[in-house]
Amino acid sequence: MRSPLLTKLLFGHRPPLNWLLFCLVSVFVLIALLGSSSSSSFGAVTSFATPDIYTSYRKLKEQALSDYLELKSLSLGANQLKDIGFCGKERENYVPCYNVSANLLAGLKDGEEFDRHCELSREYAHCLVRPPKDYKIPLTWPAGRDVIWSGNVRLTKDQFLSSGSVTKRLMLLEEDQIAFHSEAGMMVDSVKDYSHRIAEMIGLESDAEFLQAGVHTVLDIGCGFGSFGAHLLSLKLMALCVSAYESSGSQVQLALERGLPAVIGNFISKQLPFPSLSYDMVHCAQCEIVWDSKDGLFLIDIDRVLKPGGYFVLTSPTTRQQQGSSTSAKTGSMYTPLEEFTKKLCWSLLGQQEETFIWQKTVNSQCYIASKQFDIPICKEGDMQLYYQPLARCISGTGSNRWVPIHERSGPLNSTDIEIHGVHPDDFFEDSELWKSALRNYWSLLSPLIFSDHPKRPGEEDPLPPYNMVRNVMDMNAHYGGLSAALLEASKSVWVMNVVPLGEHNTLPLILDRGFAGILHDWCEPFPTYPRTYDLLHANGLLSRIASQGCSMLELLLEMDRILRPEGWIILSDTLGSIEKARMLATQIHWETRVIDLQNGSEQRLHVCQKPFTRK
């Protein structure tokens, strides 16, 4: 519990709300009036100027007037602002856009009723999702990777007891905790042994050589309880879990609770939410997907997200049975559907051990053109950067400048790599330096209250090092992934979900090629994750962006509250008008807030908030 003194030090004394609003309204009145009175003289003086200058000025004037009217409206209703209440208990694990009943009423079937449909189930209940009765603040990293509070996730004893024998050996359910054993030296079939077997099957001496072989990023489909991803992260690989929404008991929720990268996603009917040529390896261990169904559409989408030379690792008893039957059938020139589809996709079967099979995607793009006899066409130009589009029966990425075999890539991106993404190298490197500087300022300004440079959370005894109060970070408007890179260079023990807002220049391929986690998202919609799954949310310029789209700032902040853990932090950087509106709304949501003037002559303001831990 934070002391009143600490709260005062952090957030200071705020002037009366009406007085502050009056001052701000007055400022914007002056801006609007001066702008209006001087527009003719400005036009006369700058008649030689380019139209862009006038356009920019006009936009600034319109924005000032808009901010003034908005603040005036808020000031008139300031006394009527009411705190937002809490949702009912039934929404403790609420994930918007997943409403099976609404989907069934809309006529969706054949599994599509379990898919994401924001257009059918957008329930705008303006309330705060409360934590479960037994919720506790997660343990600091890295202890929280291997021990979590059982009351924080929807995993019952029945679900645990019904899980497989390997799962039971990797987990230990105790009174109010779940312990995971993801380290080596425990048993013959440990996660490390499994990872080592995969490395041997692709021709490596050990899994420590994954990076040398070009495997930097792994997409783990149906990630179970996250132990494989945890092991890959220890090898300095970025392993992102993607798994279907589950109303009771969730792989994604469990992985995020452990501080492991994860996002809700599946491809019952839609493509995976990533662009073409995104991952070096796709892994599926008993993920319960029938890969040869829907005429191979699932495998085609795996081919779409795999980089040239990338690996598809499939561990499944069903696959073993299919391949076993195909061995005896080959004498009659017959193949299983799975074999047929992998041949159409120009994949090579590298090996099989027990229930594990590994295919490698071709590095020769001409192979797909030669395989037209298999009736899988090449996708049309522009089909590579889609957002939640239906599964497509076509091969993509073959004409991309990013078609580079994984074993030919080494080290950070160079200028040529950056230009391939339509980004000028000077802009990229300038952005990188900017975020290095911003991160240093964040640390200087906000330590010891947020970051792990300080040995304890306020009010707690000193934990034993190493420690980290922030683990799961989301950059809600990631641009080039500069914040993620700055955190990595500063050796901070965090991972970042880099979100590229829909409608912005699509820099997600660049972010993924840098080896980071990322996803496209429309912030006028909820984010595909469970409640209480991020420690820190960061957004630069996002408030202004959603306002220009006509979307609700209140609904965005409520969504941020939903996905933020109790005692989690928010850092917003935006224009004065947007920040002031966010500050007023933040008080309704019960956040503790502080607005910081950057004192560099900029119109930007920094808004720092903390979500309290309350069970009301």
Side-chain angles (χ1 to χ4, degrees):
M1 182 71 68
R2 182 182 298 108
S3 68
L5 176 60
L6 182 64
T7 301
K8 185 183 295 184
L9 288 173
L10 173 58
F11 297 104
H13 292 286
R14 288 198 294 262
L17 180 61
N18 289 337
W19 181 85
L20 179 60
L21 284 171
F22 175 78
C23 293
L24 288 169
V25 168
S26 301
V27 170
F28 279 99
V29 167
L30 288 173
I31 292 174
L33 291 176
L34 290 174
S36 175
S37 62
S38 62
S39 60
S40 57
S41 60
F42 180 86
V45 173
T46 59
S47 59
F48 60 89
T50 62
D52 286 340
I53 294 178
Y54 176 74
T55 301
S56 299
Y57 167 76
R58 184 179 63 191
K59 287 182 179 178
L60 287 172
K61 176 184 170 185
E62 291 173 351
Q63 184 63 48
L65 184 58
S66 173
D67 289 343
Y68 157 66
L69 294 173
E70 189 171 38
L71 288 168
K72 179 182 178 182
S73 174
L74 286 169
S75 67
L76 292 174
N79 293 327
Q80 285 75 44
L81 290 177
K82 296 181 179 179
D83 288 351
I84 294 174
F86 289 86
C87 307
K89 180 179 174 60
E90 72 280 358
R91 289 205 172 203
E92 287 179 354
N93 292 282
Y94 173 60
V95 181
C97 299
Y98 291 91
N99 188 323
V100 177
S101 300
N103 296 343
L104 287 171
L105 287 173
L108 296 172
K109 55 184 179 180
D110 298 330
E112 291 190 36
E113 66 270 23
F114 300 104
D115 221 335
R116 182 178 188 270
H117 294 283
C118 292
E119 72 282 2
L120 298 177
S121 57
R122 307 187 86 177
E123 304 169 21
Y124 294 124
H126 288 175
C127 58
L128 304 175
V129 175
R130 71 178 80 201
K133 179 184 67 174
D134 298 327
Y135 185 86
K136 298 180 181 180
I137 298 298
L139 300 176
T140 52
W141 181 268
R145 176 193 59 196
D146 295 324
V147 179
I148 66 173
W149 302 112
S150 55
N152 291 10
V153 296
R154 301 192 72 177
L155 179 69
T156 65
K157 285 188 177 181
D158 289 341
Q159 289 170 318
F160 171 75
L161 293 173
S162 64
S163 59
S165 59
V166 173
T167 296
K168 290 189 181 70
R169 289 197 293 273
L170 296 177
M171 290 177 56
L172 180 62
L173 192 60
E174 301 174 341
E175 295 178 355
D176 58 351
Q177 291 183 336
I178 303 173
F180 300 86
H181 304 290
S182 54
E183 297 302 324
M186 303 162 25
M187 59 201 68
V188 175
D189 54 354
S190 69
V191 171
K192 182 170 179 61
D193 289 329
Y194 175 66
S195 176
H196 184 77
R197 182 167 73 238
I198 292 173
E200 287 183 331
M201 291 174 69
I202 64 176
L204 306 177
E205 291 187 4
S206 75
D207 55 3
E209 296 182 357
F210 275 140
L211 286 171
Q212 298 174 32
V215 179
H216 297 260
T217 56
V218 179
L219 183 65
D220 194 9
I221 299 177
C223 48
F225 298 131
S227 293
F228 183 59
H231 176 68
L232 293 179
L233 286 172
S234 72
L235 300 175
K236 303 190 182 304
L237 276 66
M238 170 49 68
L240 174 66
C241 159
V242 58
S243 188
Y245 167 73
E246 300 164 274
S247 59
S248 61
S250 164
Q251 301 174 65
V252 169
Q253 185 187 41
L254 199 65
L256 286 163
E257 187 67 22
R258 298 182 63 187
L260 307 174
V263 67
I264 297 175
N266 56 12
F267 46 176
I268 295 170
S269 61
K270 306 284 182 67
Q271 292 180 341
L272 292 171
F274 311 105
S276 301
L277 312 180
S278 295
Y279 290 94
D280 306 314
M281 178 183 287
V282 176
H283 172 262
C284 160
Q286 301 182 11
C287 56
E288 299 182 355
I289 295 174
V290 182
W291 290 101
D292 53 14
S293 63
K294 291 199 176 185
D295 199 24
L297 283 178
F298 297 158
L299 288 171
I300 291 173
D301 207 47
I302 294 298
D303 182 85
R304 181 181 67 83
V305 300
L306 267 180
K307 293 178 181 290
Y311 304 97
F312 178 50
V313 181
L314 177 59
T315 298
S316 168
T318 304
T319 308
R320 185 179 184 182
Q321 293 166 9
Q322 288 180 348
Q323 295 296 117
S325 63
S326 70
T327 302
S328 60
K330 283 183 180 180
T331 56
S333 299
M334 295 175 61
Y335 299 92
T336 65
L338 190 57
E339 285 180 308
E340 287 287 350
F341 285 127
T342 56
K343 287 182 179 293
K344 292 179 183 181
L345 294 172
C346 296
W347 291 1
S348 302
L349 180 62
L350 295 185
Q352 168 193 348
Q353 286 190 28
E354 299 179 1
E355 298 175 348
T356 300
F357 298 78
I358 301 182
W359 288 270
Q360 184 174 27
K361 177 175 176 174
T362 183
V363 298
N364 179 17
S365 61
Q366 296 301 310
C367 177
Y368 295 103
I369 299 173
S371 68
K372 284 185 178 179
Q373 56 179 315
F374 294 119
D375 194 30
I376 304 181
I378 305 298
C379 296
K380 295 179 181 178
E381 192 72 25
D383 283 354
M384 292 176 55
Q385 314 292 348
L386 302 179
Y387 177 72
Y388 287 111
Q389 292 298 307
L391 290 164
R393 185 180 171 77
C394 62
I395 301 296
S396 63
T398 56
S400 171
N401 290 332
R402 294 173 58 235
W403 185 277
V404 179
I406 63 171
H407 61 270
E408 293 183 8
R409 295 182 297 109
S410 61
L413 300 184
N414 56 38
S415 296
T416 303
D417 299 326
I418 295 166
E419 288 176 338
I420 286 175
H421 292 276
V423 175
H424 195 284
D426 290 345
D427 294 337
F428 178 85
F429 293 117
E430 181 181 346
D431 181 78
S432 296
E433 292 303 315
L434 182 150
W435 281 111
K436 289 177 188 176
S437 173
L439 187 63
R440 287 192 294 270
N441 291 337
Y442 286 169
W443 246 256
S444 173
L445 182 66
L446 302 173
S447 292
L449 297 170
I450 298 182
F451 299 108
S452 59
D453 294 346
H454 193 269
K456 65 178 180 178
R457 189 192 304 272
E460 287 187 356
E461 295 181 359
D462 291 359
L464 295 174
Y467 40 76
N468 197 12
M469 287 174 265
V470 173
R471 172 62 184 173
N472 300 353
V473 177
M474 178 184 289
D475 193 354
M476 302 172 70
N477 189 9
H479 202 39
Y480 302 143
L483 176 62
S484 187
L487 285 163
L488 182 65
E489 186 170 321
S491 300
K492 302 303 177 185
S493 252
V494 304
W495 69 272
V496 180
M497 175 59 77
N498 293 279
V499 183
V500 177
L502 201 64
E504 291 276 9
H505 172 53
N506 187 5
T507 55
L508 184 56
L510 171 61
I511 289 170
L512 294 172
D513 281 358
R514 299 183 76 178
F516 304 149
I519 192 173
L520 279 175
H521 182 64
D522 181 356
W523 279 117
C524 295
E525 299 177 353
F527 189 80
T529 192
Y530 290 83
R532 303 171 298 279
T533 45
Y534 283 88
D535 303 305
L536 172 66
L537 304 178
H538 175 269
N540 180 31
L542 183 63
L543 302 180
S544 300
R545 173 166 182 77
I546 62 136
S548 69
Q549 293 176 298
C551 301
S552 167
M553 184 184 295
L554 174 59
E555 286 166 5
L556 175 67
L557 297 186
L558 287 173
E559 175 64 2
M560 293 168 70
D561 185 86
R562 183 185 72 86
I563 67 179
L564 189 67
R565 287 174 174 165
E567 297 191 4
W569 294 83
I570 298 167
I571 301 176
L572 302 171
S573 176
D574 222 299
T575 60
L576 175 61
S578 295
I579 288 296
E580 277 306 314
K581 181 178 180 182
R583 187 187 65 78
M584 285 182 239
L585 294 174
T587 59
Q588 290 183 265
I589 304 175
H590 313 285
W591 293 349
E592 298 182 27
T593 73
R594 178 186 178 188
V595 175
I596 300 169
D597 187 345
L598 301 179
Q599 298 181 343
N600 57 1
S602 168
E603 289 298 316
Q604 295 288 110
R605 295 293 185 273
L606 207 61
H607 188 199
V608 182
C609 311
Q610 186 180 28
K611 174 181 175 177
F613 186 6
T614 178
R615 300 184 189 277
K616 291 182 181 179

